[in-house]
Amino acid sequence: MTPTIPTTHSMLARRRVLQATALTALSLPLAACGSSGGSSGEVTSLTVLDYYADEPDKTVFQEALDAAAKKVGVTITRESVAGTSLIQKVLQMSSSKTLPDLLMIDNPDLQQIAATGALAPLSTFGITTEGFIDGFVGAGTYEDELYGMGPCANTLGLYYNKDLLDAAGVTVPTTWDELKATAKALTKDDVYGVAFCAKASYEGSWQFLPFFWSAGADETDIATPEAASALQLWVDLVNEGSASQSVLNWGQGDLGEQFTSGKAAMVVNGPWMTTTFNESGINWAVAEIPVPTAGATAVSPLGGELWTVPQTGDEARQKKAAELLSVLLGEDSILDLNTTRFTIPTREAVDADYLAELPDMEPLVTAVNNGRARTAKLGEAWPKTAEALYNAMQSALTGKAAPLEALQTAKADFVS
């Protein structure tokens, strides 16, 4: 998931259908776009395609790209489209042999696009994984080749209203038992102790992953006692009244509204909400997602975008695009982008300077450094597993099946 708030389930479903059609077709015209041995003459301009179509990201990345372009001696022609139309746009450009020199994609989509042969291995241009966090390397890798890397990551944390916790005389929970007890103590009048997203969408699966992985569950087999224990936690929070039944329909934007209106004392959310929370006047802070037992390591999913060099057939332009990407991935660029956007550096070497400017983000920095890519183990098969997870969540939270039974049924229906 990406620092932008994910779209609705219907939009995401359409996007996945579109991707399946587009990516199948994408592999067909690539031979016509294959390497021609390079272009003649000096490369003085590059084309860029991304989905930072909204402010402030549109301007933030324009400035970053312009600064990088100046260092490598080129100008930028950039197009930004809505995230739901990016794959269709790439298909059209591939068919007309007009793929961009630099392409940004959401990290879970890299596996599917790399599988078509549309992307050049970054090792071709001397870009390596050295210095980047393991989880983001996993997100950018397909069949042991690095095809994408980005400067900014995000993940999930437990945001809490410090004033409400103080008034209730409770501390920030670090374990599941503490989470249940604290959420119960915070629930009163029209305030729920905790809120999370359990809707039937990839957004819901994304929110469940920190609990699923931290329990020791694994996406290669979702129907295990470990996975069921994580789902049981969510069922308990709803059944005990500490979380609203509306979590079945709330997206992350809705969670933000619940938090800023004072109707939820704690919410699972991400750093893309920082500006909204700051402007709300809520006295907030963020912690890592609670773990099953004290001392365990929280494992959260990594969001953020990857930058890639498409196989355009023009070796000189590809090389120059890789030079531009190398500058964008430099420590100075990473520090500036992440402090501006409240996202998290993908290079641990940047963390100290980043935290000197944004010390409150330390729990999220730790979470990102310990995080995992959703596609690291399943690759192109991840979307089906995500679908299975959110269907199991809906079944268990509505009381249609016990957690393990719900997971077993979803596994059989979607991934078996």
Side-chain angles (χ1 to χ4, degrees):
M1 264 227 185
T2 335
T4 53
I5 297 172
T7 54
T8 64
H9 172 46
S10 59
M11 292 177 69
L12 280 166
R14 288 197 297 271
R15 177 185 177 198
R16 290 297 176 184
V17 171
L18 181 60
Q19 283 180 339
T21 304
L23 291 168
T24 299
L26 181 58
S27 61
L28 300 178
L30 287 176
C33 299
S35 175
S36 62
S39 60
S40 59
E42 182 182 2
V43 177
T44 59
S45 65
L46 293 171
T47 57
V48 176
L49 176 64
D50 60 65
Y51 63 54
Y52 294 125
D54 298 323
E55 298 295 355
D57 282 340
K58 185 174 183 179
T59 295
V60 168
F61 269 94
Q62 186 66 53
E63 292 173 352
L65 287 164
D66 286 342
K70 185 175 181 180
K71 289 185 178 181
V72 301
V74 297
T75 58
I76 292 294
T77 301
R78 178 187 176 207
E79 183 175 5
S80 298
V81 300
T84 51
S85 60
L86 181 67
I87 300 300
Q88 175 66 13
K89 182 70 176 179
V90 172
L91 170 64
Q92 293 169 346
M93 298 177 90
S94 177
S95 298
S96 60
K97 304 179 186 179
T98 57
L99 283 167
D101 299 305
L102 193 64
L103 171 66
M104 186 223 74
I105 53 179
D106 195 9
N107 82 73
D109 294 333
L110 179 126
Q111 303 274 331
Q112 299 177 65
I113 297 177
T116 69
L119 306 177
L122 295 184
S123 60
T124 304
F125 315 106
I127 297 177
T128 71
T129 62
E130 185 177 358
F132 291 98
I133 59 175
D134 290 343
F136 226 63
V137 170
T141 300
Y142 173 72
E143 293 188 346
D144 298 324
E145 284 279 5
L146 185 71
Y147 286 94
M149 184 49 66
C152 306
N154 66 75
T155 192
L156 293 164
L158 183 70
Y159 288 77
Y160 57 95
N161 184 319
K162 293 195 285 186
D163 292 340
L164 291 180
L165 266 69
D166 288 344
V170 294
T171 58
V172 182
T174 61
T175 67
W176 288 2
D177 284 344
E178 290 175 0
L179 176 61
K180 291 172 67 174
T182 300
K184 186 174 183 178
L186 290 166
T187 300
K188 61 176 67 177
D189 301 325
D190 61 346
V191 178
Y192 284 98
V194 67
F196 46 85
C197 167
K199 67 187 299 187
S201 70
Y202 296 108
E203 190 177 5
S205 298
W206 152 265
Q207 283 243 328
F208 183 56
L209 279 176
F211 302 90
F212 178 86
W213 278 336
S214 297
D218 191 288
E219 58 269 38
T220 58
D221 183 1
I222 66 168
T224 63
E226 291 82 6
S229 70
L231 188 49
Q232 185 67 57
L233 171 68
W234 278 21
V235 170
D236 289 346
L237 287 168
V238 171
N239 286 349
E240 292 170 4
S242 298
S244 170
Q245 278 279 349
S246 295
V247 299
L248 288 158
N249 302 307
W250 282 341
Q252 292 178 130
D254 300 310
L255 298 181
E257 291 177 5
Q258 292 296 310
F259 188 65
T260 57
S261 66
K263 294 180 179 179
M266 301 182 290
V267 293
V268 177
N269 225 311
W272 53 85
M273 297 301 300
T274 301
T275 299
T276 298
F277 290 169
N278 283 343
E279 292 175 349
S280 72
I282 294 287
N283 184 19
W284 67 272
V286 62
E288 287 190 77
I289 300 292
V291 292
T293 58
T297 298
V299 184
S300 294
L302 292 176
E305 291 75 35
L306 296 164
W307 292 82
T308 67
V309 177
Q311 293 278 21
T312 61
D314 190 322
E315 293 178 0
R317 295 183 70 87
Q318 286 181 259
K319 182 178 179 181
K320 186 61 74 170
E323 290 180 32
L324 180 69
L325 177 54
S326 293
V327 175
L328 198 65
L329 296 174
E331 291 185 11
D332 289 344
S333 174
I334 288 177
L335 178 62
D336 184 58
L337 281 168
N338 285 287
T339 52
T340 299
R341 302 177 69 229
F342 299 107
T343 44
I344 310 301
T346 53
R347 286 183 183 266
E348 286 191 61
V350 179
D351 289 350
D353 289 338
Y354 174 81
L355 290 173
E357 295 193 40
L358 299 174
D360 292 341
M361 305 295 276
E362 184 171 6
L364 294 178
V365 170
T366 300
V368 161
N369 290 342
N370 292 330
R372 282 177 52 187
R374 285 157 280 176
T375 56
K377 289 192 175 183
L378 296 181
E380 300 160 77
W382 164 249
K384 277 295 184 184
T385 298
E387 192 174 1
L389 284 174
Y390 68 67
N391 275 278
M393 290 157 45
Q394 289 271 311
S395 179
L397 286 166
T398 55
K400 294 179 180 178
L404 184 57
E405 180 187 354
L407 289 161
Q408 290 169 337
T409 300
K411 176 183 174 181
D413 289 347
F414 294 95
V415 297
S416 296

